[in-house]
Amino acid sequence: MPVARGGSGDSIEPTHTAKGPEFEKTKMAQQPLLSLPEFQNVSTGTLVVKEPLNFWGGARVKPKDTTKSEPVYEPATGRVLCDLVPCGEEEVDAAIKSAHSAYLKWSKLSGMERARIMLEAARIIRERRDEIARAEVANNGKSITEAQVDIDISWQTIEYYAGIAPTLSGQHIQLPGGSFAYTRREPLGVCVGIGAWNYPFQLAIWKSAPAMACGNAMVYKPSPMTPVTAVILAEIYKEAGVPDGLFNVVQGGAETGELLCHHPMVAKVSFTGSVPTGKKVMEMAAKGVKQVTLELGGKSPLIIFKDCELENAIKGALMANFLTQGQVCCNGTRVFVQREILPQFLEAVVKRTKAITVGDPLCEKTRMGALITKPQMEKVLGFINQAKEQGAKVLCGGERFVPSDPKLKDGYFLSPCVLDNCRDDMTCVKEEIFGPVMSVLPFDTEEEVLQRANNTTFGLASGVFTRDIARAHRVAENLQAGTCYINNYNISPVEVPFGGYKMSGIGRENGQVTIEYYSQLKTVVVEMGDVEDYF
Ligand SMILES: NC(=O)c1ccc[n+]([C@@H]2O[C@H](COP(=O)([O-])OP(=O)(O)OC[C@H]3O[C@@H](n4cnc5c(N)ncnc54)[C@H](O)[C@@H]3O)[C@@H](O)[C@H]2O)c1
Ligand SMILES: C[N+](C)(C)CCCC=O
């Protein structure tokens, strides 16, 4: 029986002070923040989210035009989880203005002061990790154990950038005659974050934490398919003590995203999503000469040499393909296996794939939950059918899976799939499927496999399994990708930069380097003598 949670429908207080139109704020904003403990009791098929999902000026904001409302479904059950009402021009403008006024305060704090507040946000997330993870599962469909890891990566990311904030500094440069110059690392202003649906909470933090560490404000738009957890993050930042307006959430799809990209007060857009949308974002940003970070798609190669430690290579191949139901941008979905070990590899990988527990994502033992939407599930099934038509052999999975629990009968579950007899010219090998489908391709030599691995317009990630240390580093050097995993796959600690080569993106997230993508350098030149008498 579905249970409505929160959303008392309590009256609202139209006291919004941001310049521009006034919007209704829910009473929640004046109460102790967060209804998170409610998520503790959530089981699959029970959550209904009624509270407003927009947030600016330090409070949740009711949407203006509810006639454009669209249902958002719980992936595990196919039930309506909440309604998504896209923000229009006035709402986007209000959020951006609210961000700008917070930026004026936040950017004047020292790095230490910013760090203190960010560390408090990290602490709150850590404390509420399980409730946030449950909300993420209800909205995204991934397994609870994976969602918990996502939340751990999230607070670690905030801690990491809080640690960097006080270290931001410039350079002192001596000039002739006692004159000198110095540089200042300054924020950009209002940054926009636009996220994908596969890591909703984590992506909001991958963008906001480095942005805030550098002194920027952010307006974040989550994917319209996963609107629930970004607003929880906004509340946590507020509770931690950031100025009202520093982190804002506007809901919506393409239209809302375009309004954000075109807004003249926006200095930078950090986008995660598909290549076609990334191109549009770059075009829009170019019109205003705004900086962009683009984290786009991939079709990454994983190369397994015959001298590998086979058990690790098999586990690595599963990690490279089946996290988050295969909906991971950096997945190593082209698995090149040296011909001599192909039979052993296939036998073991199929055995392990068949043993993956698919089902209720809130069960601790589940290792694969539901795909994000019905259309996405059908798209993946379409890729599998096309692969069969083109000559691939399905060794396991690749079908709709209906768990025995009746409440999950309309969920978007697929059995994880291994495809053999693949060739480089097949659609399943060339295009990003974004589902639990591994394509296995035999190879003979290092030279050949490198050429084939690089024969793609993508370049997000790559991997190699071998015991030969020289070969490992040679292969890593020659793979055209932003990341190469040696003897593992899909581990991404925050200290390590993440981003793509070629059409997989521009810029990096995570690591120290990301500071450069959220700040700009000012040079101050100081004359200690007289100005030259030249004219
Ligand atoms: N490289 C990475 O870090 C990374 C991480 C996750 C996902 N991805 C990629 O994202 C894709 C899947 O995510 P998706 O389906 O949400 O991608 P998408 O491109 O459809 O949407 C991404 C975001 O862009 C917004 N958007 C759509 N049209 C827009 C427009 N015209 N202007 C501005 N914003 C717009 C969407 O509402 C959403 O928030 C895959 O290709 C995947 O590889 C990349
Ligand atoms: C945490 N992972 C698995 C590296 C995924 C990062 C986000 C990409 O989709």
Side-chain angles (χ1 to χ4, degrees):
M1 188 76 168
V3 175
R5 300 191 167 271
S8 59
D10 280 338
S11 67
I12 34 104
E13 216 188 319
T15 54
H16 202 280
T17 51
K19 207 170 162 225
E22 292 202 337
F23 295 93
E24 296 175 327
K25 292 198 273 188
T26 64
K27 194 175 169 191
M28 245 187 102
Q30 281 75 46
Q31 291 172 343
L33 290 166
L34 297 169
S35 49
L36 272 179
E38 295 191 31
F39 287 115
Q40 250 167 0
N41 304 318
V42 160
S43 59
T44 299
T46 63
L47 183 68
V48 176
V49 178
K50 293 282 187 198
E51 294 99 334
L53 298 168
N54 298 315
F55 193 100
W56 59 81
R60 291 198 186 220
V61 184
K62 280 192 170 180
K64 205 166 141 55
D65 183 4
T66 48
T67 58
K68 292 185 177 166
S69 158
E70 295 270 346
V72 177
Y73 300 97
E74 181 183 34
T77 61
R79 245 177 9 103
V80 175
L81 176 68
C82 61
D83 289 320
L84 191 280
V85 185
C87 285
E89 196 170 350
E90 288 181 0
E91 291 157 299
V92 164
D93 191 56
I96 289 173
K97 284 181 173 148
S98 153
H100 189 258
S101 71
Y103 159 71
L104 296 177
K105 296 177 203 149
W106 183 251
S107 59
K108 297 297 174 209
L109 297 185
S110 71
M112 281 291 276
E113 289 168 313
R114 293 201 288 266
R116 214 167 288 134
I117 294 170
M118 290 177 68
L119 286 172
E120 175 61 5
R123 188 198 62 74
I124 298 170
I125 293 170
R126 191 173 179 169
E127 192 178 277
R128 300 180 191 169
R129 172 224 203 208
D130 291 337
E131 299 104 279
I132 302 169
R134 291 180 90 78
E136 192 82 324
V137 169
N139 198 176
N140 170 276
K142 66 173 70 188
S143 72
I144 183 68
T145 47
E146 267 196 61
Q148 286 163 342
V149 172
D150 294 357
I151 309 309
D152 287 341
I153 292 176
S154 300
W155 60 256
Q156 286 162 13
T157 302
I158 299 180
E159 280 191 347
Y160 177 77
Y161 285 107
I164 287 183
T167 72
L168 298 177
S169 60
Q171 200 189 1
H172 178 274
I173 304 138
Q174 287 187 356
L175 298 173
S179 294
F180 62 94
Y182 61 94
T183 58
R184 291 169 49 85
R185 189 152 286 284
E186 296 185 347
L188 301 171
V190 176
C191 300
V192 157
I194 298 180
W197 41 260
N198 54 352
Y199 288 83
F201 193 78
Q202 185 181 299
L203 289 180
I205 288 180
W206 277 19
K207 297 183 191 308
S208 59
M212 285 163 51
C214 293
N216 303 286
M218 178 161 276
V219 180
Y220 189 77
K221 190 195 81 57
S223 163
M225 290 168 227
T226 49
V228 173
T229 48
V231 68
I232 295 175
L233 176 62
E235 289 182 327
I236 289 172
Y237 278 140
K238 180 181 165 93
E239 190 176 330
V242 308
D244 286 353
L246 193 74
F247 179 80
N248 310 276
V249 178
V250 293
Q251 300 290 347
E255 246 175 77
T256 309
E258 288 174 14
L259 289 166
L260 289 166
C261 293
H262 284 305
H263 199 287
M265 287 171 82
V266 168
K268 183 213 166 85
V269 182
S270 175
F271 170 80
T272 296
S274 62
V275 174
T277 313
K279 286 182 190 172
K280 286 186 203 160
V281 167
M282 197 169 174
E283 270 175 36
M284 290 185 276
K287 292 206 171 90
V289 197
K290 301 179 199 324
Q291 298 197 25
V292 288
T293 295
L294 300 178
E295 295 287 1
L296 309 179
K299 191 73 198 179
S300 301
L302 169 60
I303 304 174
I304 300 177
F305 284 94
K306 65 183 178 196
D307 69 345
C308 69
E309 210 286 283
L310 191 60
E311 181 58 21
N312 276 334
I314 289 155
K315 287 192 274 180
L318 299 173
M319 286 289 286
N321 279 274
F322 298 137
L323 289 175
T324 306
Q325 299 73 247
Q327 304 162 128
V328 182
C329 50
C330 45
N331 269 0
T333 46
R334 291 183 294 146
V335 181
F336 292 96
V337 182
Q338 207 158 19
R339 204 175 298 275
E340 290 89 330
I341 59 162
L342 186 64
Q344 301 98 289
F345 174 83
L346 284 176
E347 189 189 336
V349 97
V350 167
K351 192 171 164 204
R352 296 287 293 265
T353 302
K354 282 180 174 168
I356 293 173
T357 311
V358 183
D360 187 340
L362 279 174
C363 278
E364 287 289 327
K365 69 175 193 337
T366 294
R367 288 293 169 270
M368 187 175 286
L371 276 77
I372 188 72
T373 57
K374 196 166 179 215
Q376 180 68 15
M377 179 182 72
E378 284 162 356
K379 192 172 152 199
V380 175
L381 285 169
F383 271 113
I384 295 166
N385 278 335
Q386 194 179 16
K388 287 195 263 187
E389 283 160 19
Q390 293 178 348
K393 187 172 168 198
V394 176
L395 296 185
C396 63
E399 289 171 340
R400 182 143 191 207
F401 176 75
V402 183
S404 54
D405 183 342
K407 71 172 181 274
L408 306 176
K409 72 177 180 5
D410 294 324
Y412 318 132
F413 297 95
L414 288 183
S415 50
C417 176
V418 178
L419 294 176
D420 188 18
N421 280 359
C422 294
R423 296 184 316 270
D424 295 0
D425 64 343
M426 288 177 173
T427 312
C428 66
V429 178
K430 290 198 295 194
E431 288 185 23
E432 186 181 44
I433 297 177
F434 234 53
V437 185
M438 178 194 303
S439 298
V440 181
L441 301 135
F443 75 93
D444 294 299
T445 69
E446 181 181 321
E447 191 188 7
E448 168 217 332
V449 78
L450 278 171
Q451 186 277 324
R452 290 169 62 195
N454 287 331
N455 188 18
T456 168
T457 55
F458 293 114
L460 188 53
S462 59
V464 55
F465 276 84
T466 176
R467 285 193 175 102
D468 179 340
I469 191 168
R471 187 205 293 278
H473 292 290
R474 194 168 56 235
V475 168
E477 181 186 340
N478 286 297
L479 282 168
Q480 297 160 1
T483 297
C484 181
Y485 299 102
I486 295 177
N487 292 333
N488 207 333
Y489 207 96
N490 261 344
I491 44 166
S492 55
V494 57
E495 302 93 315
V496 175
F498 181 86
Y501 277 19
K502 302 199 273 189
M503 288 178 94
S504 288
I506 292 179
R508 291 292 175 269
E509 293 193 306
N510 296 343
Q512 282 185 34
V513 69
T514 298
I515 293 304
E516 289 173 28
Y517 297 104
Y518 281 103
S519 62
Q520 53 195 335
L521 212 57
K522 177 178 282 170
T523 300
V524 181
V525 182
V526 183
E527 177 59 66
M528 296 295 281
D530 293 326
V531 177
E532 192 185 349
D533 195 3
Y534 179 66
F535 291 106

